[in-house]
Amino acid sequence: MTSVEQSPLTRKLSAFVALSDVELAVLERLHQRRRTFIAGRDMVHQGQSAQAAYILSAGWVCSYKLQADGTRQIVDFQVPGDFLGLRSVLLRTSDHSFEPIVDIEAAEVLTSDLLEAFARTPRLATSILWAASRDEAMVVEHLVGIGRRDADARMAHLLLELSSRLMLVGLGGKEGYDCPLTQYHLADALGLSAVHVNRVLRKLRESGLVTFRDGHVTFHDYGGLVKLAEFDAAYLDQTGPLLK
Amino acid sequence: MTSVEQSPLTRKLSAFVALSDVELAVLERLHQRRRTFIAGRDMVHQGQSAQAAYILSAGWVCSYKLQADGTRQIVDFQVPGDFLGLRSVLLRTSDHSFEPIVDIEAAEVLTSDLLEAFARTPRLATSILWAASRDEAMVVEHLVGIGRRDADARMAHLLLELSSRLMLVGLGGKEGYDCPLTQYHLADALGLSAVHVNRVLRKLRESGLVTFRDGHVTFHDYGGLVKLAEFDAAYLDQTGPLLK
DNA sequence: CGGCCATTTGACACCTGTCAATGTCTGTGG
DNA sequence: CCACAGACATTGACAGGTGTCAAATGGCCG
């Protein structure tokens, strides 16, 4: 299997651990059950217990929580190479919903498949748990952002985080990336109103920092954006002693 | 060992699972290494990798993340019966700091002790992972709160959450509880300024809902507070199929 | 007694939400 | 081909929630 055919997840993990051929094979085997989901219809609904997790191979998803008053808070976005509902499977609980933002392709991973893979290749298990830990760090970082950054910095931070995550799987680079989110998605993720999201985007554009338009993010001043957001990618790249 | 002598953690887990005598014994053995920490000095500092986790047996702790501009965001509070740094140990990463809010007592749990206990009593392992999952659900709930609730509802929600958590370990009831937090702690947890926290507390007090004063929270209208916060304790009590 | 910390309060500015209207684009059906 | 509806984006006016600044109060401890 050449590197061109690698799944995004494989690509992502390989950036952090040198996986052996056996481990790579087991990993690719997890991608057997290919499924597609259409945009806008929930894959897993709040409160429903999940039988399986998914590895996203193409498209974007958001995980969110609905409130009694109808507003929603997007907890995180998933891009190719990310797990969906990994914790739901490992811990058998699920308290938020997943909605495909566009039509997506994902590999279904049964709990039994996952546990079997873990048993065979402990290093792979570690890698996947690392990915789960990274997801958590992102949620915490979002909490910090919403709690302690103003709207401009929050937006800049989110756009930069997505950039970093996408670059890991070969989608986009420092000049920009394709992004199917609407301004409503951004609003629900950042704790802002859609109207204000629009204002913020205009300001960032007119400041010559970044343009978000027609499903594409274009960085005009990456460094300036990093400074505005005080973006430190450490929480995304924590290698640490985990993978010895 | 009579129920009076049970540790808060034992008490909490027992509320959700009927643990056998063996399991209880293993659990209590995890409490061997008793340590104390003084208020205000970090136990684990951001970025430092943890060798051990702690089970908090008395006192309050907060876990927080510092930003470059000096502001801080408190991610969660820990009360007796809670784990400190459980994920740090399981996943060997730690990206936030822990600070005792008052002088505390905690039991140090080495990674090896924990893994050994897990190996001996799978049901105990499941219970502890349940606790970890509950911690995550709380972080998500805080994210939703900061993103989508106004200051009054956020405050009400936090006070109610702490109440529920403390009741589980026998500290306080529906009439109130002791709470050593300062208004600065509340501000850093809720993403507000300390001045505004004061205003919110006054409003809640003058509305006859709740009083926060002299280290004590007193509920005057529990139901009214629940309604204001749209508080649904489901995320704290998820029993689910986890514990069959 | 004199600091120091937490709390409290008022005045004011400003960030962000809400409401409302308009523009643009796409897909659909006549 | 055109009319129309619907979703998303854009913009302005205005209101309100929250932050900031500053000052006063009170309790605790050396």
Side-chain angles (χ1 to χ4, degrees):
Chain A
M1 181 165 292
T2 72
S3 73
V4 193
E5 300 172 49
Q6 279 185 340
S7 72
L9 175 60
T10 305
R11 188 158 176 166
K12 180 169 80 167
L13 294 183
S14 297
F16 292 94
V17 216
L19 294 170
S20 70
D21 287 344
V22 174
E23 288 161 345
L24 285 174
V26 172
L27 186 52
E28 288 302 325
R29 191 123 29 89
L30 284 179
H31 288 75
Q32 275 181 346
R33 276 178 252 275
R34 306 198 158 277
R35 312 242 341 225
T36 61
F37 294 88
I38 62 174
R41 180 172 305 177
D42 273 8
M43 303 173 61
V44 180
H45 197 64
Q46 210 159 318
Q48 177 183 337
S49 81
Q51 327 304 347
Y54 297 90
I55 302 170
L56 187 57
S57 50
W60 291 46
V61 177
C62 68
S63 59
Y64 65 93
K65 212 168 162 177
L66 240 36
Q67 290 207 267
D69 63 4
T71 60
R72 79 168 174 179
Q73 175 66 46
I74 292 181
V75 176
D76 199 6
F77 296 107
Q78 280 76 43
V79 299
D82 287 343
F83 269 96
L84 273 151
L86 180 55
R87 279 168 296 185
S88 310
V89 159
L90 293 178
L91 300 172
R92 312 251 186 102
T93 62
S94 160
D95 72 336
H96 40 289
S97 314
F98 290 95
E99 179 194 298
I101 289 167
V102 294
D103 291 351
I104 63 161
E105 275 180 37
E108 188 176 75
V109 181
L110 302 182
T111 307
S112 52
D113 295 344
L114 195 62
L115 294 180
E116 190 189 333
F118 278 14
R120 281 210 217 166
T121 59
R123 260 166 58 89
L124 185 59
T126 306
S127 303
I128 288 177
L129 287 177
W130 164 81
S133 138
R134 187 170 178 266
D135 289 345
E136 279 188 51
M138 287 193 286
V139 173
V140 170
E141 195 61 32
H142 294 165
L143 179 69
V144 174
I146 292 186
R148 288 298 179 210
R149 280 191 269 264
D150 65 21
D152 297 349
R154 253 181 271 176
M155 178 67 74
H157 199 277
L158 177 58
L159 295 179
L160 286 169
E161 179 192 299
L162 290 172
S163 169
S164 289
R165 293 169 62 184
L166 289 166
M167 274 195 278
L168 254 190
V169 290
L171 299 171
K174 284 221 167 177
E175 67 290 342
Y177 53 92
D178 290 322
C179 172
L181 303 178
T182 69
Q183 296 186 0
Y184 290 87
H185 286 122
L186 294 175
D188 285 343
L190 298 174
L192 298 169
S193 68
V195 173
H196 200 61
V197 162
N198 188 281
R199 284 194 283 251
V200 169
L201 287 175
R202 172 160 48 132
K203 189 156 130 196
L204 292 180
R205 190 185 336 124
E206 292 174 350
S207 305
L209 290 170
V210 62
T211 299
F212 178 100
R213 177 164 280 172
D214 296 330
H216 198 82
V217 173
T218 310
F219 294 123
H220 301 122
D221 178 2
Y222 193 90
L225 212 55
V226 167
K227 192 175 164 208
L228 171 64
E230 298 194 292
F231 181 69
D232 175 1
Y235 71 102
L236 293 174
D237 297 328
Q238 32 178 286
T239 46
L242 175 63
L243 306 172
K244 63 154 176 6
Chain B
M1 181 166 291
T2 73
S3 73
V4 192
E5 299 172 49
Q6 279 185 339
S7 72
L9 174 59
T10 304
R11 189 158 176 166
K12 181 169 80 167
L13 294 183
S14 297
F16 292 93
V17 216
L19 295 170
S20 70
D21 288 344
V22 174
E23 287 161 345
L24 285 173
V26 173
L27 186 52
E28 288 302 325
R29 191 124 28 90
L30 284 179
H31 289 74
Q32 276 181 346
R33 275 178 253 275
R34 307 199 156 278
R35 312 241 341 225
T36 61
F37 295 89
I38 62 173
R41 180 171 305 177
D42 274 8
M43 302 172 62
V44 179
H45 197 64
Q46 210 160 317
Q48 176 182 338
S49 81
Q51 326 302 347
Y54 297 90
I55 301 169
L56 188 56
S57 50
W60 292 44
V61 177
C62 68
S63 58
Y64 66 93
K65 211 168 163 179
L66 239 36
Q67 290 206 266
D69 63 5
T71 61
R72 78 168 175 180
Q73 176 66 45
I74 292 181
V75 175
D76 198 6
F77 296 108
Q78 280 75 44
V79 299
D82 287 343
F83 269 96
L84 273 151
L86 180 55
R87 279 168 293 186
S88 310
V89 159
L90 293 178
L91 300 172
R92 313 251 185 101
T93 61
S94 159
D95 72 336
H96 39 289
S97 314
F98 291 95
E99 179 193 298
I101 288 166
V102 293
D103 291 352
I104 62 161
E105 275 180 38
E108 188 176 75
V109 182
L110 303 182
T111 306
S112 53
D113 296 343
L114 195 62
L115 294 179
E116 191 190 332
F118 278 13
R120 282 210 216 167
T121 61
R123 259 166 57 90
L124 185 58
T126 306
S127 303
I128 288 176
L129 287 177
W130 164 81
S133 138
R134 187 171 177 266
D135 289 345
E136 280 188 49
M138 288 193 285
V139 173
V140 170
E141 196 61 32
H142 294 166
L143 179 69
V144 174
I146 292 186
R148 288 298 179 210
R149 280 191 269 263
D150 65 21
D152 297 348
R154 251 182 273 177
M155 177 67 73
H157 199 277
L158 176 58
L159 295 180
L160 286 169
E161 179 192 302
L162 290 172
S163 169
S164 289
R165 294 168 62 183
L166 289 166
M167 274 196 277
L168 253 190
V169 290
L171 299 170
K174 284 221 168 178
E175 67 289 344
Y177 53 91
D178 290 322
C179 172
L181 303 178
T182 69
Q183 296 185 0
Y184 289 86
H185 286 122
L186 294 174
D188 285 342
L190 298 174
L192 298 169
S193 68
V195 172
H196 200 60
V197 161
N198 188 278
R199 285 194 282 251
V200 169
L201 287 175
R202 172 160 46 133
K203 189 154 130 197
L204 293 180
R205 189 184 338 123
E206 291 173 350
S207 306
L209 289 171
V210 62
T211 299
F212 178 100
R213 178 163 280 171
D214 296 329
H216 198 82
V217 173
T218 309
F219 295 124
H220 301 123
D221 179 1
Y222 192 89
L225 213 55
V226 167
K227 193 176 165 208
L228 171 64
E230 297 196 292
F231 182 69
D232 175 1
Y235 73 101
L236 293 174
D237 297 328
Q238 32 178 286
T239 46
L242 174 64
L243 306 172
K244 64 151 176 0

